[in-house]
Amino acid sequence: ARDRGLTRAIGVSNFNASLLQALLDAVVAPSLGRAGGRPAVVQNAFSVAGHPAAHDGVGNGCLEGSRLYGSTDETLELARHNGIVFQAYSPLGGASHVDVLGRREVRRIAEKYGRTPAQVAMRWLVQQRVGAVSATANAAHAAELLDVARFRLADGDMAALSGLT
């Protein structure tokens, strides 16, 4: 049996579409004799109200939404097209300093569904098949975030949330 080593899958973080494409070109290029090294996951800051931001994350404490760091629909689509899981970190804006939960539209939609703004923000990701990494030490908050399978956002609400910057 051929030794495949200890690594079963790799992931990358903060890769924008052009960096991800360059990596894919390098690891699957037949002329280089390489195959099977494509990443399993790309993890980028991604949330309601933070993709893409008007800035590029330069000279700013907020990297979320930055086109430089892959927080765009283009990166999401490239990952999907290549069978790579797109995973959002800071989906509620805490680490990226994006005010997800305080946005008027997020709060309006949460009220419409009888949910919290956090649940709406997480459901927006789930409906796009985006995995999310969120952290809390509060058991009630964790349970709230996990309770997003019992409702579905209408297409119009998804579009409204996707349009927030």
Side-chain angles (χ1 to χ4, degrees):
R2 187 173 160 201
D3 180 17
R4 295 184 182 258
L6 298 176
T7 304
R8 292 192 180 155
I10 64 166
V12 295
S13 184
N14 297 327
F15 272 49
N16 63 24
S18 62
L19 283 174
L20 188 57
Q21 185 62 60
L23 175 61
L24 290 169
D25 291 345
V27 298
V28 299
S31 64
L32 298 176
R34 300 178 186 161
R38 82 177 59 236
V41 65
V42 58
Q43 187 182 72
N44 295 341
F46 195 79
S47 73
V48 168
H51 86 284
H55 62 79
D56 280 323
V58 177
N60 178 324
C62 168
L63 299 180
E64 182 158 359
S66 168
R67 291 173 293 280
L68 292 176
Y69 299 100
S71 302
T72 64
D73 292 330
E74 180 185 13
T75 307
L76 174 60
E77 289 306 316
L78 179 63
R80 281 188 183 144
H81 178 74
N82 286 281
I84 301 167
V85 172
F86 188 95
Q87 189 173 60
Y89 68 79
S90 192
L92 302 179
S96 59
H97 310 292
V98 171
D99 184 15
V100 172
L101 305 180
R103 296 299 298 263
R104 185 176 320 150
E105 190 68 6
V106 174
R107 296 177 81 67
R108 181 193 68 76
I109 292 171
E111 187 174 314
K112 173 181 174 180
Y113 289 89
R115 298 294 177 163
T116 67
Q119 288 174 317
V120 166
M122 294 299 277
R123 184 65 204 181
W124 177 79
L125 292 168
V126 167
Q127 281 184 224
Q128 295 183 80
R129 297 184 332 258
V130 172
V133 177
S134 187
T136 182
N138 182 312
H141 288 167
E144 171 188 328
L145 294 181
L146 292 172
D147 188 28
V148 297
R150 296 185 198 195
F151 74 104
R152 182 166 182 81
L153 297 170
D155 291 346
D157 294 326
M158 286 293 292
L161 294 169
S162 294
L164 295 177
T165 57

